[in-house]
Amino acid sequence: MDIRCRKTTCKYNKDHTCLAKSILVDRKVLCSTYQLSEALKGKNRQQGLLDKAEDYSKRMFEKPPKNAPMRNRKKIEISCKADCLFNNNGICRANGITVNDVNYPVCMGYLPK
């Protein structure tokens, strides 16, 4: 399963790939596993960033952001409480998920039943 995370302030995020052992998507389609990285808290306040480690949009045509290579993660448990097409008795059965970086960590793979 390909797990992509754009929530760059999460402690489990490594170059836009989630390294958490398990993920929980709640009823509101938010990644409940998200935890703000302690190392980024002070740095973000100084730079005026609220929910991003770095604002890539300012220089995205000059230098692309670093992304980890796609990795098939066989040993990750993705629990899902959302009313989603991929929710099979509380387990996500999608081929992969992406978590967005806008305000809240939203699962972008969500499709309503």
Side-chain angles (χ1 to χ4, degrees), residues 20-66:
K21 293 181 182 179
S22 65
I23 296 172
L24 172 62
V25 177
D26 67 16
R27 293 186 195 288
K28 295 180 181 178
V29 197
L30 299 176
C31 178
S32 296
T33 314
Y34 168 78
Q35 290 184 25
L36 182 62
S37 168
E38 292 293 324
L40 294 173
K41 278 184 180 177
K43 182 180 174 184
N44 281 8
R45 286 192 192 114
Q46 292 172 352
Q47 294 178 357
L49 300 171
L50 299 176
D51 65 347
K52 295 183 181 185
E54 186 175 351
D55 186 1
Y56 294 108
S57 64
K58 291 180 182 178
R59 58 182 173 79
M60 63 191 260
F61 296 110
E62 298 169 13
K63 180 182 172 188
K66 185 177 178 183

Side-chain angles (χ1 to χ4, degrees), residues 51-95:
D51 65 347
K52 295 183 181 185
E54 186 175 351
D55 186 1
Y56 294 108
S57 64
K58 291 180 182 178
R59 58 182 173 79
M60 63 191 260
F61 296 110
E62 298 169 13
K63 180 182 172 188
K66 185 177 178 183
N67 289 313
M70 191 289 253
R71 291 188 296 191
N72 189 6
R73 299 207 40 211
K74 294 181 181 179
K75 296 189 177 191
I76 187 166
E77 179 183 321
I78 301 179
S79 301
C80 184
K81 294 183 178 181
D83 188 25
C84 179
L85 181 67
F86 302 114
N87 184 344
N88 186 355
N89 295 321
I91 303 295
C92 179
R93 297 293 181 207
N95 288 334

